[in-house]
Amino acid sequence: MSDAPIYSPYDYAIHSDPYPTYAQLREHAPVYRNEELDFWAITRHADVYAAGRDPGTFSSSHGVSLELWSPQARQRSSFIAMDPPEHTQFRGLISRAFTPRRIAELEPRIREITRGYLGRALDQRDGFDFIGDFAESIPADVISELVGVPADDRPQILRWSNESLRREEGSTGIPEVAVSAIVKLMGYYGELIADRRAHPGGDMLSALIAAEIDGQRLADADIRAVLLLLGIAGNESTTKILGNAWWQAARHPEQREMAFSGRVQEWVEETLRYDSSGQMTARLVTRDVDLHGVTVPAGARMLLMFAAANHDPAVFPNPEEFDLTRDTSRTLTFGTGPHFCLGASLARLETRVVLEELVAAVHPDYQVGEPTRVHHANIRGFSRLSTSVKPR
């Protein structure tokens, strides 16, 4: 333990490049304890994988983040702050909108949305912001269409979503601007629910209003929590994956050439492993757990470090190399077990389609400027990434 670094998910230096610290944790403190911030963390692939598949021991009942840790977490985070069997019932309702067939049917519309934003971005002669002028609007539009948010309201929903993730350096809490954005989103979704109750349609919100669990309809509070989760997670994860993919390919020209020569799917998967947008998830330890000679007590807050597991050399040889030819089948970016990310297939589809459209529209020798990074305990990615391209 003496060689272990001091690790904090709130540290801006960690946000810049967490992977050397993750490597030290895997090597010297695979069961890490931060006394000051009162959390534990596991970083090895085998341990993270096993914990993700054991909700009885590693419970989601207090939420999935340290910032929002609470026994009432489900009021904000919906089914991701539940354990089976309740989680299974709620997830079953939401999953009807994410069946493989339904996701596949979205591809033409995703491609249409992408081409619209890409055309406008390419019209800017001096380059464009890959995030603000292009990438962030695509998943926001897709999830808004699924939910049933009117087109005129989507830019405001996106602004509130971005504001909800703002954090302040040196703070482990949520700033007022973020709290205000969450309150505004909840208020908006409350009004949208009322409208759909009066005028149901064919969207996901109408289906949630009509859904039943054991003969009981969902309360408005539960529906609002689901919409908040989908609206923020559906926007942010894919936006950050896209930015990370674009940035990493620019930093690795040989891999970029491979990506532009037909290996887009591999580009997506290696980005998910190498520089995932989601770094970790939190769990409540429900009983004493002995791991690597360390006893983690019941009641502890545990971080399952997916991004660190994705760089474990026991599973991924030469993990610090960005390599499109590697086997990424054991990547844990979207989790594992009952809480495997419900939107994983949609995020993968959106990322692939957007990158395919970029490959078709521009030459591979694009240039990127110094990015502006989002500072968040869990989310890794950019809020701005200037880009210059040569249209084909």
Side-chain angles (χ1 to χ4, degrees), residues 280-333:
M280 70 198 75
T281 191
R283 294 288 189 266
L284 172 70
V285 181
T286 62
R287 60 175 178 83
D288 290 358
V289 174
D290 294 319
L291 194 62
H292 302 294
V294 176
T295 298
V296 180
R301 303 195 299 175
M302 175 68 80
L303 295 181
L304 313 188
M305 306 293 293
F306 296 132
N310 286 342
H311 282 244
D312 190 337
V315 177
F316 303 102
N318 303 313
E320 306 310 322
E321 293 183 8
F322 186 67
D323 179 6
L324 269 60
T325 67
R326 77 165 68 247
D327 178 4
T328 57
S329 61
R330 296 177 67 186
T331 298
L332 294 179
T333 297

Side-chain angles (χ1 to χ4, degrees), residues 61-142:
S61 63
H62 283 53
V64 297
S65 72
L66 298 180
E67 298 167 302
L68 299 169
W69 189 262
S70 167
Q72 288 79 43
R74 61 164 291 173
Q75 295 176 10
R76 180 188 183 276
S77 301
S78 184
F79 64 97
I80 66 170
M82 301 175 188
D83 294 318
E86 186 181 27
H87 168 267
T88 307
Q89 294 175 314
F90 268 78
R91 183 183 172 99
L93 291 176
I94 314 303
S95 65
R96 297 172 189 173
F98 293 92
T99 63
R101 179 179 177 180
R102 180 72 188 278
I103 296 302
E105 290 173 347
L106 293 173
E107 180 167 343
R109 179 58 180 148
I110 296 171
R111 206 170 289 279
E112 180 183 12
I113 291 171
T114 300
R115 289 173 178 172
Y117 285 110
L118 182 56
R120 290 190 285 275
L122 295 180
D123 284 342
Q124 301 185 41
R125 294 183 179 181
D126 297 326
F128 60 95
D129 173 14
F130 185 87
I131 304 298
D133 294 331
F134 176 58
E136 70 176 5
S137 296
I138 298 165
D141 276 8
V142 172

Side-chain angles (χ1 to χ4, degrees), residues 313-390:
V315 177
F316 303 102
N318 303 313
E320 306 310 322
E321 293 183 8
F322 186 67
D323 179 6
L324 269 60
T325 67
R326 77 165 68 247
D327 178 4
T328 57
S329 61
R330 296 177 67 186
T331 298
L332 294 179
T333 297
F334 293 114
T336 185
H339 282 276
F340 180 81
C341 178
L342 193 60
S345 58
L346 177 58
R348 283 185 159 108
L349 174 62
E350 290 175 316
T351 306
R352 174 178 62 79
V353 168
V354 173
L355 294 178
E356 285 175 350
E357 290 299 317
L358 283 161
V359 165
V362 306
H363 289 279
D365 56 342
Y366 63 86
Q367 302 294 317
V368 295
E370 191 64 29
T372 301
R373 185 168 291 284
V374 170
H375 290 289
H376 192 281
N378 179 43
I379 297 170
R380 179 168 169 78
F382 308 115
S383 61
R384 181 175 177 79
L385 180 59
S386 60
T387 297
S388 299
V389 299
K390 298 176 185 175

Side-chain angles (χ1 to χ4, degrees), residues 49-61:
Y49 178 82
R53 302 179 74 83
D54 184 4
T57 303
F58 299 92
S59 167
S60 299
S61 63

